[in-house]
């Protein structure tokens, strides 16, 4: 059981966060990067005790947790490096010129203010208490109030203690990081409504994310909510590719669909292709693959119940055929893989089939014509990812369709399965609504920092009072745009 | 009178815009920059006929209109230059590496989709039909549907014709730019609700902007609204500066307050200082200045009526003293300058006095103590600008206050009056709510383009099918981040 943080206690912590913001927004990118690297070090040395606790709380295999922990440490370090470079500071200096009315103008990005982060259950390290949202908010200069995920409270506490230890070691105000626990939905609303909160990051269900979005927008002063809310990540398989590689594709699809008991936001829940011999080959091969997938323990009872409920709802629709399911019976707490098949008309007319089923479950949509595939593309809601399984010739033959698919996702894959992400600059983990509330931002990769900054412009300020990022001497040696040109130089001006 | 575009006609134009988006999102930054420069050329050659029409419609002096037209042309050109550089494309390439799971990832920004722009009445060129919102949306790769401001329909039509001529000359789809006319509020809501619209830009009243914001967020798929909704742009005058320069400051304040009949979003509506001899000197000097300001014709009857109504409401509150008003009686359609005075307690407790009065009207708040000034700063709502009228010593003496003021605005001036903007990278025209709906973006300067893009990531795409911005050869020679390092080079890879 998890202790509920009282409302009074929440108020006190938000007050501390607001105070800490006055400190944090004046730290330099260098200081914040040092802090982030120290957090990485602190997490890195957490040993087998953490892994065992998390394994018990989440049922995720140790090997996966070791990898996720390394990724989390890497996230803090790579975001720290990006922050230190000044890329998210976007320092812009337009020097005084005779023809300018306003004289000297200098702009940079500051933290937007205290951020509430809601951790996800499926990534207890990388998307939770010490995950990417926390790292990117602190990198931006924002205090973080984490609402611990109730499915892994001990893991959350260990991670919170690690960050708090670094706050103390650095002598930073305690409000830089706060850990709030509780299971009630009301806490989320309370945090989002609080006047001192300036942004919200969330990973979870559509209902949860949309509720926070609506609360945030009905505040007296609305604030941004970055909610990642799920996706069916369709695979569009084209004819040439399917004919060439039906069996290999089935294996790849099955592996991606059932990885980690299918508990990934980027799980490819729908497979779309023309009906015919090649698709029949794919389905036959898929059947064998899925039959051999052993049931796996899911993250927690709630997820298992939702999975079974939503899978059964989908399977009980009309014009549905079960084409593959695991040969092994699921034991207690385990989710069992299955794939159903339907036709395009049913898929297009029954919105239930476009809902995410979080777990190892897929739908194959067998289309009569290219027009039906086009209709599915046009009707498709926003997705985190879309895969084009195609030969070069297929791509050349379908420019209009592929152009439309670009509008429907954040990441477009050519012949690859989407499960998982890569923590690099070029990753986009965020797609059009309803996959996320704001397709303009990513929650993975250093660019995640962008979510939590806003620009402030200084007009004719004496050098002494400018933030280091904008001072003539460029003491942080960051890259800046000076009169339209990027450089890392110091300005040889007479300081006033 | 303005012809109302019918709902049917609006639907047709949005349909055309959606079609044009499929074209426009695949244009390169170079092509869009060429288009924008051509629009600049087209507007530049519009001669005295345009100026006379606009002068008649807006009562703005010809000299001002000549300047605003030059600014508008300059906007198109400077945004074009920025777009061509690729800065808003933010191309990021992470090449395949042995340790990477996902292989080759490449991300760039594409246009978000069709954008509705609501022009402002107070800048018939720079913030209207061919203004900065239109230029930045097209620069981002988004078709624009302009809702013409009913106060200058002929001006709007001339500008629309200029842009349309360029669309034709380039052979681009007609839906790249559409001009919609009408006076009803319903049109705005209808446009904002339309499922094919992807973003809204608006400059005007709080009620107008907030209504669009609420409509956009209650859509089935919410979209961003960039509304600039007004600001009282406070001036905080500190003691040393006030003592040194009371009279000069009064002259500067009066000039800024009454420029263009006070019809600027950045008009400094409130002046805050400690009461005492220095403030008395300021007030005496201000009285003389304001008395000599001749009444000026306002933009249109609606603005004049709102101005007089809101000024009278403010003036009729309790504990208000009229300290200065123009010696000359206002004639028909003219607004007359005046300044009132109150104390901090009244200002803090009466929210009416923190409302923007759009026109030549100011409030001097005489504070008893530094604590009262601090309270005003803490209670202050979001502003476009704040001025610190201070000596260096004043700044050194008030670090906490100045730190708080940084949270309350987009542009912080040191000893200058805020009226007007400069179209440069370092300009920030956008502040915390309620001055705008989104403090993370600016509506002036090339960075305005950022509002209308979103990132798309390509995983393992053959070079042939990547957009030019991401191709190995870097045919557009834009600056890109490759494996974390910025450069404009072409990649020497084997193309697949």
């Amino acid at each position: 059981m998890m202790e509920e943080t009282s409302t009074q206690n929440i108020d006190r912590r938000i007050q501390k966060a607001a105070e800490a913001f006055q400190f944090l927004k004046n730290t330099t990118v260098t200081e914040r990067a040092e802090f982030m690297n120290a957090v990485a070090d602190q997490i890195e040395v957490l040993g087998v005790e953490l892994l065992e606790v998390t394994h018990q709380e989440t049922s995720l295999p140790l090997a996966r947790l070791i990898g996720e922990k390394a990724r989390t440490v890497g996230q803090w370090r790579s975001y720290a490096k990006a922050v230190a470079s000044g890329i998210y500071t976007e320092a812009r200096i337009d020097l005084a010129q005779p023809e300018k009315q306003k004289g000297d103008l200098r702009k940079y990005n500051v933290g937007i203010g205290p951020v509430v982060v809601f951790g996800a259950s499926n990534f207890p390290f990388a998307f939770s208490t010490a995950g990417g949202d926390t790292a990117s908010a602190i990198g931006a200069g924002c205090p973080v109030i984490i609402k611990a995920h109730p499915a892994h409270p001990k893991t959350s506490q260990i991670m919170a203690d690690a960050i708090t230890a670094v706050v103390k070691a650095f002598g930073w105000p305690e409000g830089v990081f706060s850990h709030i626990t509780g299971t009630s939905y009301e806490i989320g609303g309370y945090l989002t409504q609080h006047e001192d909160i300036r942004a919200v990051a969330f990973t979870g269900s559509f209902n949860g994310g949309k509720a926070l979005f609506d609360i945030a927008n009905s505040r007296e002063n609305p604030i941004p909510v970055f909610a990642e809310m799920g996706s069916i990540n369709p695979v569009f398989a084209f004819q040439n590719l399917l004919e060439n590689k039906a069996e290999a594709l089935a294996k790849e699809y099955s592996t991606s669909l059932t990885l980690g008991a299918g508990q990934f936001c980027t799980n490819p829940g729908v497979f779309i292709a023309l009906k015919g011999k090649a698709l029949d080959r794919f389905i036959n091969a898929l059947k064998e693959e899925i039959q051999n997938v052993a049931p796996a323990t899911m993250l927690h009872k709630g997820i298992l119940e939702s999975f079974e409920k939503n899978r059964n709802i989908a399977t009980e629709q009309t014009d549905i055929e079960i084409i593959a399911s695991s040969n092994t019976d699921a034991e207690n707490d385990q989710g069992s893989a299955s794939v159903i098949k339907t036709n395009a008309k049913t898929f297009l007319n029954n919105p239930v089939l476009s809902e995410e089923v979080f777990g190892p479950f897929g739908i194959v949509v067998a289309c009569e014509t290219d027009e039906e595939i086009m209709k599915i593309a046009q009707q498709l809601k926003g997705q985190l990812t879309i895969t084009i399984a195609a030969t070069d010739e297929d791509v050349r033959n379908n420019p209009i369709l592929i152009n439309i698919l670009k509008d429907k996702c954040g990441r477009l894959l050519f012949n690859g399965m989407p499960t998982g992400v890569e923590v690099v600059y070029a990753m986009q983990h965020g797609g059009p609504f309803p996959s996320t509330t704001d397709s303009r931002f990513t929650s993975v990769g250093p660019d995640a920092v962008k979510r939590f900054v806003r620009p402030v412009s200084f007009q004719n300020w004496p050098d002494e009072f400018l933030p280091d990022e904008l001072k003539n001497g460029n003491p942080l040696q960051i890259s800046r745009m000076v009169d339209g040109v990027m450089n890392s130089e110091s300005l040889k001006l007479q300081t006033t």
Side-chain angles (χ1 to χ4, degrees), chain A:
Chain A
M1 281 298 291
M2 208 164 184
E3 202 191 329
E4 297 271 334
T5 307
S6 68
T7 306
Q8 212 176 6
N9 211 339
I10 291 174
D11 287 344
R12 201 182 58 81
R13 301 212 191 157
I14 294 177
Q15 173 62 29
K16 292 277 181 200
E19 287 164 26
F21 177 56
Q22 295 302 317
F23 165 84
L24 204 54
K25 77 177 180 201
N26 288 319
T27 54
T28 65
V29 290
T30 317
E31 289 165 332
R32 293 200 298 278
E34 281 167 8
F35 179 92
M36 295 162 80
N37 282 321
V39 171
D41 295 345
Q42 193 78 20
I43 295 173
E44 194 168 40
V45 297
L46 293 172
V48 74
E49 195 205 347
L50 167 71
L51 295 172
E52 279 171 1
V53 163
T54 310
H55 172 61
Q56 248 174 359
E57 288 188 322
T58 63
S59 304
L60 292 170
L62 280 174
R64 145 78 192 266
L65 290 175
I66 289 167
E68 190 184 326
K69 181 172 162 248
R71 170 189 158 181
T72 305
V73 169
Q75 269 179 182
W76 282 91
R77 290 198 179 127
S78 69
Y79 295 12
K81 192 177 168 193
V83 165
S85 77
I87 186 172
Y88 304 117
T89 300
E90 292 187 293
R92 308 221 193 277
I93 299 174
D94 286 291
L95 299 170
Q97 308 284 358
E99 75 274 14
K100 272 176 66 189
Q101 293 170 36
K102 299 293 163 195
D104 182 294
L105 279 162
R106 302 184 184 213
K107 183 168 78 169
Y108 84 140
N109 289 336
V110 294
I112 199 169
V115 174
V116 171
V117 172
F118 293 87
S121 68
N122 60 338
F123 281 89
F125 302 148
F127 273 98
S128 190
T129 305
D133 289 338
T134 301
S136 48
I138 289 179
C142 300
V144 168
I145 293 142
I146 180 96
K147 161 66 178 61
H149 198 287
H152 50 259
K154 289 176 192 162
T155 302
S156 189
Q157 189 63 55
I158 294 170
M159 287 302 193
D161 290 345
I163 299 173
T164 303
V166 178
V167 173
K168 280 189 184 143
F170 273 61
W172 284 12
E174 59 169 302
V176 166
F177 179 82
S178 306
H179 188 233
I180 284 175
T181 56
T183 52
S184 78
Y185 282 113
E186 286 72 21
I187 287 185
Y190 188 82
L191 287 164
T192 304
Q193 254 161 339
H194 200 289
E195 63 169 338
D196 285 330
I197 296 302
R198 289 286 172 267
V200 172
F202 169 91
T203 307
S205 70
F206 176 79
N207 289 339
K210 182 61 162 55
L212 296 177
F213 178 81
D214 289 340
I215 290 170
N217 281 312
S218 57
R219 287 167 54 122
E220 199 192 320
N221 57 340
I223 58 171
V225 170
F226 305 98
E228 190 214 304
M229 304 180 293
S231 180
I232 55 174
N233 306 294
V235 177
F236 286 80
F238 288 81
Q239 207 49 28
N240 287 324
L241 193 282
L242 200 60
E243 279 166 16
N244 296 350
K245 298 195 176 169
E247 291 75 16
L249 195 57
K251 191 178 175 70
E252 204 186 357
Y253 181 70
S254 168
T255 304
S256 182
L257 188 71
T258 61
L259 186 71
Q263 300 166 116
F264 285 89
C265 318
T266 48
N267 197 34
V270 178
F271 187 95
I272 297 141
L274 275 184
K275 75 173 196 180
K277 280 185 185 162
L279 184 60
D280 290 343
R281 278 168 51 211
F282 172 84
I283 288 171
N284 284 335
L286 184 62
K287 190 169 179 171
E288 251 182 75
E289 293 292 337
I290 293 287
Q291 281 172 345
N292 292 328
V293 175
T297 305
M298 297 194 74
L299 286 158
H300 56 84
K301 269 224 153 56
I303 285 209
L304 176 65
E305 284 164 14
S306 290
F307 166 63
E308 290 185 336
K309 191 182 109 193
N310 294 329
R311 180 197 57 191
N312 294 344
I313 289 174
T315 306
E316 286 158 10
Q317 302 299 307
T318 51
D319 284 324
I320 294 292
E321 179 190 342
I322 299 175
I323 56 173
S325 54
S326 177
N327 273 341
T328 318
D329 284 343
E331 289 177 19
N332 205 14
D333 294 348
Q334 288 185 329
S336 178
S338 62
V339 177
I340 63 174
K341 181 186 156 189
T342 189
N343 58 59
K345 281 191 190 61
T346 303
F347 185 76
L348 284 163
N349 294 326
N350 187 345
V352 167
L353 301 172
S354 291
E355 296 292 322
E356 184 186 20
V357 177
F358 195 75
F361 176 75
I363 304 180
V364 173
V365 184
C367 302
E368 299 277 343
T369 60
D370 287 338
E371 288 66 39
E372 284 189 342
I373 296 179
M374 181 68 84
K375 263 190 208 154
I376 290 175
Q378 283 165 335
Q379 190 176 303
L380 201 62
K381 289 183 181 179
Q383 305 291 333
L384 290 170
T385 74
I386 291 176
T387 290
I388 314 279
T391 63
D392 288 8
E393 203 189 331
D394 287 325
V395 176
R396 275 181 219 114
N397 291 344
N398 294 279
I400 296 172
L401 176 62
I402 289 169
N403 209 21
I404 287 170
L405 293 177
K406 286 180 188 172
D407 297 338
K408 304 287 187 169
C409 68
R411 176 161 55 113
L412 200 64
L413 296 87
F414 183 77
N415 288 323
M417 290 296 155
T419 306
V421 293
E422 191 92 43
V423 186
V424 292
Y425 279 103
M427 173 54 57
Q428 175 62 17
H429 194 63
F433 195 91
S435 66
T436 69
T437 45
D438 197 335
S439 67
R440 296 170 298 164
F441 296 90
T442 180
S443 61
V444 174
D447 282 352
V449 175
K450 285 189 193 179
R451 295 175 295 171
F452 305 114
V453 295
R454 73 173 184 96
V456 176
S457 180
F458 295 83
Q459 185 171 319
N460 293 320
W461 279 74
D463 198 61
E464 175 188 350
F465 304 125
L466 285 168
D468 282 359
E469 285 81 353
L470 296 175
K471 279 193 203 316
N472 288 331
N474 194 13
L476 305 172
Q477 296 182 283
I478 58 174
S479 182
R480 315 190 291 187
M481 181 188 276
V482 180
D483 287 338
V485 179
M486 296 300 299
N487 66 57
S488 308
E489 293 160 22
S490 64
L491 291 168
K492 312 290 183 223
L493 299 175
Q494 208 184 341
T495 61
T496 50

